[in-house]
Amino acid sequence: MSSEYLREAMDLAGQARGQTSPNPLVGAVLVRDGEVVGRGSHTWAGVKHAEIQALDQAGDRARGASLYINLEPCSHQGRTAPCADALIAAGVTRVVAAMEDPNPRVAGEGFRRLRDAGVAVEVAQDFTVEAEKLNEDFVCYMRTHLPLVTLKTALTLDGKIAAPDDNTGWITSERARAHVQELRHDHDAILTGIGTVLADNPSLTARTGSAPGRAPLRIVLDPSLRIPLRAKVVTDRRAPTLVVTTSAGAAAKRAALQKAGAEVLVLPSQRGRIQWRALLSDLGRRGIASLLIEGGAELNASALREKAVDRVLFFLAPRLLGGRGALGAIGGLSPARLREALPLKEVAVMRIGSDILVQGSLK
């Protein structure tokens, strides 16, 4: 029966995707005498944590109840008081959690506080791997202080992302494009390069039917500030925009972009390219826990070469473009030896409409 309630808690947590950052996804189920008496799912806008929502719903029936939750209850004062203290005060007698909180401000302290108060605590290790996967961006951020970086691209079956002359239309199906919008919704920031902005003038917004969260930060890598002041990411005000440049970007252009509403960040460069490590460190300081890269071949190559990418998502369309002039998904110089190819781990394949999604981890 515990598995059933933990499964429900995990499902509740997942329903708030894209609405909780920089906090984790958390779902809570309170059970007394075999009956669910309270449920909760945290969202940033809702302020109250999942445990508190479940306690509010249960009222007096929380006394003597068991809590099933995907993440250790917090023990520190943030926007709200510690959830561990609230559970103790409400008379909850048992807590079953799928994993310990990787936040160093908690990291077992919530469990210790509960046990010291006489609450039975159990970590459901059968659910731990799944619980870490559910909150993989939060876990990565807490352990490294850097965002989890996902590189996404759409390509033909023979690995091409663009024809030499005319790229009107879409490579992938409508179903796959809708899936990408959900991916955007789930991330704190979306990044592209100046080449994509000049070629496509994208809005880089999350257009989904999901419950709204905070709009993902739009990031444009533009070492010499070629971005037009008329670009959608500068003018549409639909989400905040960060233009990342180097000392080669003219001061007058920086001032004009900032006046137009974009933020401009100057970072060190190496051979004319922005240093990824400096960028990721800055994003970590801003509380960005997840970054989605949607760039062209050269941007993809630089991110992979500098080992900035944690996982890749390749949407393969059932088309063949061929030819030497068509652009491949990853630019730059080819490795001299086959053994230098980047190996993917934890590879998964799924069908989305007429397309195939291949994903894998690089770290």
Side-chain angles (χ1 to χ4, degrees):
M1 207 60 171
S2 295
S3 296
E4 176 186 330
Y5 298 134
L6 264 178
R7 169 59 53 206
E8 183 175 359
M10 300 274 281
D11 291 344
L12 282 169
Q15 290 172 14
R17 285 188 179 278
Q19 303 174 66
T20 64
S21 187
N23 289 349
L25 294 163
V26 182
V29 177
L30 267 175
V31 179
R32 178 173 155 177
D33 298 328
E35 178 188 358
V36 175
V37 295
R39 295 179 175 89
S41 177
H42 171 69
T43 63
W44 178 257
V47 180
K48 287 185 178 181
H49 288 189
E51 301 96 309
I52 306 304
Q53 294 178 33
L55 289 173
D56 287 350
Q57 192 176 110
D60 292 340
R61 294 179 296 172
R63 188 160 299 279
S66 296
L67 175 73
Y68 297 87
I69 189 166
N70 62 297
L71 186 69
E72 174 186 4
C74 66
S75 57
H76 65 288
Q77 179 70 49
R79 292 201 302 167
T80 63
C83 290
D85 291 353
L87 294 168
I88 293 166
V92 171
T93 56
R94 181 171 176 247
V95 171
V96 181
M99 65 175 287
E100 182 180 289
D101 193 333
N103 185 342
R105 299 177 69 185
V106 184
E109 177 61 22
F111 289 154
R112 186 197 64 76
R113 192 172 296 191
L114 289 165
R115 288 187 176 110
D116 286 351
V119 178
V121 174
E122 176 187 341
V123 178
Q125 295 182 352
D126 289 349
F127 282 81
T128 299
V129 172
E130 184 180 352
E132 289 189 350
K133 190 71 174 175
L134 178 68
N135 273 309
E136 61 182 334
D137 52 351
F138 176 76
V139 171
C140 174
Y141 181 72
M142 284 298 158
R143 291 176 177 169
T144 68
H145 306 295
L146 299 173
L148 181 79
V149 180
T150 299
L151 188 154
K152 164 262 161 186
T153 191
L155 59 164
T156 61
L157 201 56
D158 56 337
K160 306 299 184 180
I161 62 172
D165 298 322
D166 182 9
N167 284 303
T168 304
W170 302 94
I171 290 178
T172 52
S173 66
E174 185 176 344
R175 283 272 302 278
R177 297 197 302 274
H179 188 81
V180 170
Q181 293 301 323
E182 294 291 342
L183 282 171
R184 289 181 174 184
H185 178 267
D186 291 349
H187 283 76
D188 292 343
I190 307 164
L191 181 147
T192 195
I194 183 58
T196 298
V197 172
L198 293 175
D200 301 332
N201 193 22
S203 63
L204 291 183
T205 53
R207 302 177 295 279
T208 72
S210 302
R214 293 180 298 169
L217 174 68
R218 302 178 292 194
I219 304 172
V220 179
L221 299 194
D222 186 4
S224 57
L225 282 189
R226 294 186 290 150
I227 188 169
L229 294 176
R230 303 182 306 278
K232 288 180 183 177
V233 293
V234 176
T235 62
D236 66 13
R237 305 298 176 96
R238 295 174 64 186
T241 296
L242 175 67
V243 180
V244 184
T245 189
T246 68
S247 57
K253 184 66 172 288
R254 294 203 302 266
L257 285 167
Q258 288 170 335
K259 185 177 180 180
E263 181 184 356
V264 179
L265 173 66
V266 181
L267 288 179
S269 63
Q270 187 173 21
R271 293 188 293 273
R273 293 188 178 275
I274 293 158
Q275 292 182 11
W276 279 94
R277 284 297 154 190
L279 172 60
L280 296 181
S281 294
D282 183 90
L283 295 180
R285 288 190 291 271
R286 294 167 183 260
I288 300 296
S290 57
L291 173 66
L292 180 65
I293 297 176
E294 294 191 40
E298 296 305 314
L299 180 65
N300 293 345
S302 70
L304 290 166
R305 182 173 57 247
E306 293 194 31
K307 296 180 170 51
V309 179
D310 295 291
R311 63 175 184 169
V312 296
L313 299 177
F314 277 24
F315 290 84
L316 299 174
R319 298 183 180 192
L320 299 173
L321 190 54
R324 294 187 182 88
L327 193 62
I330 303 170
L333 296 175
S334 297
R337 300 170 183 83
L338 181 60
R339 64 173 178 268
E340 296 176 46
L342 294 174
L344 294 182
K345 308 169 188 175
E346 301 175 2
V347 176
V349 180
M350 64 182 293
R351 186 79 176 264
I352 299 181
S354 59
D355 304 309
I356 297 170
L357 170 60
V358 180
Q359 68 178 58
S361 171
L362 285 163
K363 296 181 180 179

